[in-house]
Amino acid sequence: MDGTKSVSTVFSLCSILSVSVIFLCSQFITKDKLKTFSCSLFFFKAIVMLLLFFLNQTGLNVLIKFLIIIDYVIDVELWISLYPLITLIKKEDKIYAIRDLIYDAFYYIGIFFTGLLFGKSIGSFEISYNFYILIASILTFITFIILYKTNLESYVKKEKKVESRKSLKTLNLKKDKISRVYLGYVFFGEMSFSCITELQVLLLADYFDFSARTISNYSILLGMGSVIVGSLVIAKFTLKNNYINLSLKFGIRLLLYISAFLFNQKILILLAFIFVELSSDAYIDITDAPYVNRYNDEDQLAFNNLKEMIEYVATSIGVFLCGIALLYGIRYIFLVSSVSIILQIILAFYALYLRNQESR
């Protein structure tokens, strides 16, 4: 467990670094510059990965680690800018959820083919992790070209040339109770979720003695399972009563967390892990999209940045608390998560109530 606790500390620091970058970008990037900004990120990411490819086995470990950190930060900002970029064309709650489903689907498809082909040979050439870095660099550069050639400018509203930069400072959250409650929901929800999931791979290895191959198959199956469940929920299983929808996602989680803590049985702990993963993409069009889509134009970009900053802070706290809880035993991470998810459920119901009142 010592290695797990060390990783929890490092991961927490990485999340804090990401928050700093998000804050800086939110102060300087406006929606009319979003395409240029995203193109630049894809281009630099391709260059960074290409450098990592050529630096392999050079012994320049400090430079390699620095470039890996840069790549991580670029990934974070690309993810944040993705939905505001989509809203230049169309803004809809289901599209917000579909974005997550598509991202996760291709993420796990990539992991599947990585595991399938790793170590195989093409003639005398052996497929290694460094080969994947080269492929990723090429695919990222192709993405850059596609986005660069896509005409999004026609979707940006033509307004009078007035200085109207929207940043975190211009969000008037003091008068927006719904957003404040929602951001509280985001904070406690992400803290609860990351306490359970972010170190799950290490916990499966240390506590359940799963092999690397078993953990890999477990991650791929549950990842693709979450995409399937999320897609089915959007298409067929979203009830008209959103209070029931929220209860299905978070109420079952809470029951599993409490059971895992009280009984400390491996089967209950594993069931909790599985349900959290399978339900991760479900009901996003209800739990998150309406609150982000309440904002228009650059206000939405600023709010989305603020939301993501809060998520990364909560993630760092959740992983840190997970490391502390593990000092007393794996069951205690479920105690920490139970407290967090109770607060999340209260705020989720309250935010939904306020939004229903607003729409009347």
Side-chain angles (χ1 to χ4, degrees):
M1 290 289 184
D2 290 338
T4 304
K5 290 189 269 300
S6 298
V7 172
S8 73
T9 303
V10 172
F11 192 89
S12 297
L13 293 174
C14 287
S15 296
I16 293 296
L17 177 62
S18 298
V19 169
S20 302
V21 174
I22 295 168
F23 177 78
L24 290 173
C25 291
S26 68
Q27 299 303 100
F28 298 104
I29 306 302
T30 54
K31 200 160 187 177
D32 60 321
K33 303 296 183 184
L34 194 54
K35 177 189 171 181
T36 302
F37 176 64
S38 299
C39 282
S40 300
L41 289 176
F42 278 118
F43 180 78
F44 285 120
K45 180 176 173 62
I47 296 300
V48 167
M49 287 191 290
L50 192 61
L51 289 172
L52 286 170
F53 172 77
F54 286 112
L55 287 170
N56 184 48
Q57 296 183 341
T58 61
L60 299 173
N61 293 334
V62 174
L63 180 57
I64 290 172
K65 289 177 181 177
F66 173 75
L67 290 174
I68 289 172
I69 292 172
I70 295 298
D71 181 66
Y72 178 89
V73 172
I74 290 174
D75 269 346
V76 169
E77 193 56 42
L78 274 172
W79 170 247
I80 291 170
S81 63
L82 181 60
Y83 183 68
L85 197 64
I86 293 171
T87 60
L88 290 175
I89 302 172
K90 188 174 183 180
K91 182 168 65 175
E92 187 179 291
D93 292 350
K94 285 190 176 181
I95 290 177
Y96 185 94
I98 291 170
R99 172 204 63 160
D100 281 43
L101 293 172
I102 292 174
Y103 178 90
D104 286 348
F106 281 94
Y107 174 82
Y108 287 106
I109 289 171
I111 291 178
F112 172 76
F113 282 107
T114 297
L116 183 67
L117 299 176
F118 182 75
K120 301 293 192 299
S121 297
I122 302 176
S124 59
F125 179 79
E126 183 178 348
I127 297 176
S128 64
Y129 283 122
N130 205 45
F131 171 76
Y132 288 129
I133 291 175
L134 178 61
I135 295 299
S137 178
I138 294 171
L139 291 175
T140 302
F141 188 73
I142 292 172
T143 305
F144 157 73
I145 294 174
I146 293 172
L147 181 58
Y148 180 78
K149 293 291 185 180
T150 302
N151 180 20
L152 295 178
E153 286 75 11
S154 60
Y155 293 98
V156 178
K157 292 181 180 179
K158 302 298 182 181
E159 299 176 349
K160 295 179 181 180
K161 293 185 177 180
V162 178
E163 289 296 326
S164 59
R165 180 182 298 279
K166 299 291 184 181
S167 67
L168 299 182
K169 294 180 181 179
T170 62
L171 288 177
N172 192 5
L173 295 178
K174 289 183 179 180
K175 296 182 179 180
D176 189 355
K177 189 175 184 179
I178 295 177
S179 291
R180 294 201 309 273
V181 174
Y182 167 69
L183 291 174
Y185 153 84
V186 168
F187 177 80
F188 288 109
E190 191 62 30
M191 190 166 68
S192 173
F193 183 79
S194 49
C195 187
I196 297 295
T197 61
E198 293 296 344
L199 301 181
Q200 190 178 133
V201 170
L202 295 176
L203 293 173
L204 291 173
D206 291 347
Y207 186 73
F208 289 90
D209 295 321
F210 282 7
S211 66
R213 181 173 292 277
T214 301
I215 293 173
S216 177
N217 292 336
Y218 165 94
S219 299
I220 292 170
L221 287 174
L222 287 187
M224 292 306 299
S226 70
V227 173
I228 293 171
V229 169
S231 300
L232 289 174
V233 166
I234 288 179
K236 300 291 184 181
F237 299 111
T238 299
L239 303 177
K240 291 183 179 180
N241 190 325
N242 284 333
Y243 290 106
I244 297 176
N245 293 325
L246 290 175
S247 298
L248 287 173
K249 180 168 183 173
F250 300 119
I252 297 174
R253 280 188 189 180
L254 176 59
L255 290 175
L256 288 171
Y257 289 176
I258 293 174
S259 299
F261 169 69
L262 290 177
F263 299 105
N264 197 28
Q265 297 293 316
K266 284 189 175 182
I267 184 63
L268 290 174
I269 291 172
L270 190 59
L271 281 174
F273 283 159
I274 290 172
F275 183 80
V276 170
E277 293 289 352
L278 287 179
S279 64
S280 60
D281 285 329
Y283 299 113
I284 293 175
D285 56 320
I286 294 167
T287 60
D288 294 279
Y291 303 97
V292 175
N293 284 337
R294 287 177 68 245
Y295 288 87
N296 294 314
D297 302 324
E298 292 175 15
D299 276 329
Q300 189 210 55
L301 178 59
F303 182 76
N304 200 49
N305 273 288
L306 178 59
K307 169 184 171 291
E308 296 292 340
M309 285 171 60
I310 289 173
E311 284 190 355
Y312 275 94
V313 171
T315 296
S316 66
I317 294 173
V319 177
F320 178 72
L321 290 176
C322 179
I324 294 175
L326 286 172
L327 291 171
Y328 304 95
I330 191 172
R331 67 189 297 185
Y332 288 96
I333 69 173
F334 292 98
L335 176 60
V336 173
S337 292
S338 294
V339 174
S340 298
I341 202 171
I342 287 171
L343 294 170
Q344 178 191 20
I345 291 170
I346 292 171
L347 292 170
F349 274 67
Y350 189 34
L352 179 57
Y353 168 77
L354 292 174
R355 189 162 59 82
N356 288 339
Q357 294 296 312
E358 180 185 55
S359 62
R360 288 179 179 176

